[in-house]
Amino acid sequence: MTVRPSDFAELPPVTCLIVDDLEENLIALSALLRRDGVTLVTARSGAEALEHLLVHDVALALVDVQMPDMDGFELAELMRGTERTRQVPIIFVTAGARDEHRLFRGYESGAVDFLYKPIEPHLVRSKADVFFQLYRQKRRLAQELKERTETLRLSEMFSAMLGHDLRNPLATIIGSAQLLPRMTRDPEILRVAERMEASGMRMNRMIGDMLDLARARLAGGIPVHAEPADLRVIVDKVVQEYAATWPHRRIDLHASGDLAGEWDADRIAQIAGNLVGNALQHGDAEAPVDVFLDGRERATVELTVANAGTIPDDVLPYVFDPFRRARQHGRSDGLGLGLYIARQLAQSHRGTIEVDAAGNRIALRVRLPRRAGEA
């Protein structure tokens, strides 16, 4: 990352804390470190230094080792014990001889460096400048992260509002397309009406995915309203709908055990629909799609959708990422949100979803507690 001086122009000055019990030492160090963009704060004792640390965000602390009441090592240990000052770099300044035991104690208490008196002015400035620059970079990155997070939040809010507002005119278009066959028997008009309705329904599904994405991102999850339901009834309806729209494909439903529970039936149907649709769209067109429902466990049920096909090893860890499918396959029948939303819905039911891609077979397995409110 290349940092230019202009990058820091709008940032407030950095603060450097100098702690020494001798006034002349404070004056000398202040003279060496005084420059534009740096605020110097001085303290004559460890207690006074702690008071300043409660008020100022400090980029660097130069601390004299030998002070009465509280020496530099004790001050450093107190700083390391507090969340606010734990990350403040400390450079010890000492007039003592180079003692390995003192060095070890200093670094153990949190020092990043030692300076020995008499101090070399160029060395002090160079070391301090390094920490000032690091602190500025840290603040710059934090500011950019905050700005980008806010931009992303506003973008997702806009997408949610846009998706919601688009549904009203889209409903009119779909309703008009459904009304045309009652008004005419012209084959050409009927074909146009069928295409209009199919395109409108596809757009409606994509808008629904956009709204669910916004709910998952902005609200921390997609809300569910659990009621007594039968998993087989829910999934059987989904399978029949896909069988009607994909008449050339075979979808087999296999069910075993007790499949009763308390879930949001519409959201469970959405999970099943996303998994079956994904298998039909990306699986082997010559092989059937198998849907398994397993209710033999007392506390949980499983929904598994399996199809022939493969997932590349470098793609497998990211199959539930939003927009992933759309990026891989270019133009697609959706936004690449199906598996992402299926995972969000499973998690909203306190469930899990996982993928198993072994050999030439892909299985997506959803495990749900019998009651959505129970982990």
Side-chain angles (χ1 to χ4, degrees):
M1 176 182 176
T2 302
V3 180
R4 301 177 299 274
S6 58
D7 292 336
F8 305 128
E10 68 275 22
L11 293 176
V14 299
T15 300
C16 177
L17 174 64
I18 305 173
V19 187
D20 198 304
D21 61 316
L22 298 178
E23 185 67 25
E24 57 268 27
N25 291 340
L26 293 176
I27 294 173
L29 285 172
S30 299
L32 289 175
L33 297 176
R34 185 173 290 111
R35 69 202 65 188
D36 292 338
V38 177
T39 298
L40 299 176
V41 177
T42 61
R44 295 285 299 272
S45 67
E48 186 180 351
L50 291 174
E51 292 178 3
H52 287 308
L53 289 167
L54 293 174
V55 178
H56 302 282
D57 291 324
V58 175
L60 174 65
L62 279 82
V63 179
D64 184 36
V65 173
Q66 297 173 321
M67 293 186 295
D69 298 328
M70 181 190 303
D71 65 21
F73 297 147
E74 293 171 326
L75 173 60
E77 289 171 358
L78 289 174
M79 290 173 63
R80 290 294 173 260
T82 304
E83 183 64 31
R84 176 178 173 82
T85 58
R86 184 170 296 153
Q87 302 301 322
V88 175
I90 300 171
I91 296 179
F92 283 130
V93 181
T94 178
R98 293 177 180 268
D99 185 318
E100 293 296 328
H101 175 72
R102 290 169 64 84
L103 281 172
F104 178 78
R105 185 185 174 192
Y107 287 119
E108 189 180 46
S109 62
V112 297
D113 204 352
F114 270 84
L115 290 175
Y116 291 90
K117 300 176 182 178
I119 294 174
E120 169 60 42
H122 178 73
L123 184 63
V124 176
R125 294 193 191 98
S126 298
K127 288 180 181 292
D129 283 341
V130 170
F131 290 104
F132 294 159
Q133 185 178 18
L134 289 173
Y135 184 79
R136 291 186 181 109
Q137 289 180 3
K138 179 181 176 181
R139 287 209 298 195
R140 163 61 68 185
L141 291 174
Q143 180 176 316
E144 289 183 358
L145 177 61
K146 181 180 179 181
E147 292 172 354
R148 292 183 183 185
T149 301
E150 179 64 13
T151 300
L152 178 60
R153 188 184 71 86
L154 292 175
S155 175
E156 289 173 343
M157 288 181 63
F158 174 75
S159 297
M161 293 170 61
L162 178 63
H164 183 271
D165 292 343
L166 284 175
R167 279 195 157 168
N168 288 333
L170 182 60
T172 302
I173 294 172
I174 295 174
S176 300
Q178 294 172 339
L179 185 62
L180 282 175
R182 303 180 187 179
M183 301 174 61
T184 180
R185 295 294 179 185
D186 187 312
E188 185 63 29
I189 294 178
L190 292 178
R191 282 194 294 271
V192 171
E194 184 179 357
R195 288 197 296 269
M196 286 174 59
E197 183 180 359
S199 297
M201 296 302 292
R202 176 169 168 256
M203 185 180 295
N204 192 50
R205 287 193 298 272
M206 288 193 287
I207 290 174
D209 286 347
M210 289 172 57
L211 292 174
D212 284 338
L213 174 66
R215 291 188 189 102
R217 299 276 198 178
L218 297 174
I222 301 174
V224 296
H225 305 284
E227 296 177 348
D230 188 301
L231 187 61
R232 172 153 192 168
V233 173
I234 297 171
V235 177
D236 186 55
K237 182 179 178 181
V238 172
V239 169
Q240 291 181 27
E241 290 174 353
Y242 273 96
T245 54
W246 295 70
H248 59 289
R249 296 294 299 276
R250 177 179 160 190
I251 309 174
D252 294 332
L253 177 61
H254 315 270
S256 61
D258 179 12
L259 296 169
E262 293 183 9
W263 308 289
D264 188 322
D266 292 336
R267 292 304 193 178
I268 296 297
Q270 189 176 355
I271 294 175
N274 286 356
L275 299 188
V276 173
N278 180 78
L280 291 169
Q281 184 176 346
H282 302 294
D284 186 344
E286 302 300 322
V289 172
D290 289 308
V291 181
F292 300 94
L293 303 177
D294 187 348
R296 291 173 294 178
E297 294 289 334
R298 184 181 65 84
T300 61
V301 297
E302 285 189 2
L303 161 64
T304 303
V305 178
N307 61 274
T310 59
I311 300 177
D313 291 340
D314 60 330
V315 174
L316 191 58
Y318 309 104
V319 292
F320 296 108
D321 286 2
F323 309 111
R324 186 75 185 188
R325 284 288 190 181
R327 290 196 299 269
Q328 290 167 347
H329 298 277
R331 184 176 178 179
S332 173
D333 288 338
L335 298 172
L337 292 173
L339 295 185
Y340 170 80
I341 291 172
R343 181 174 64 175
Q344 295 296 316
L345 289 172
Q347 292 173 349
S348 293
H349 283 83
R350 303 295 189 268
T352 61
I353 183 171
E354 59 185 19
V355 59
D356 180 16
N360 191 42
R361 190 166 178 80
I362 302 169
L364 287 157
R365 184 174 296 102
V366 180
R367 179 184 290 269
L368 299 169
R370 288 197 181 267
R371 290 176 176 79
E374 296 180 0

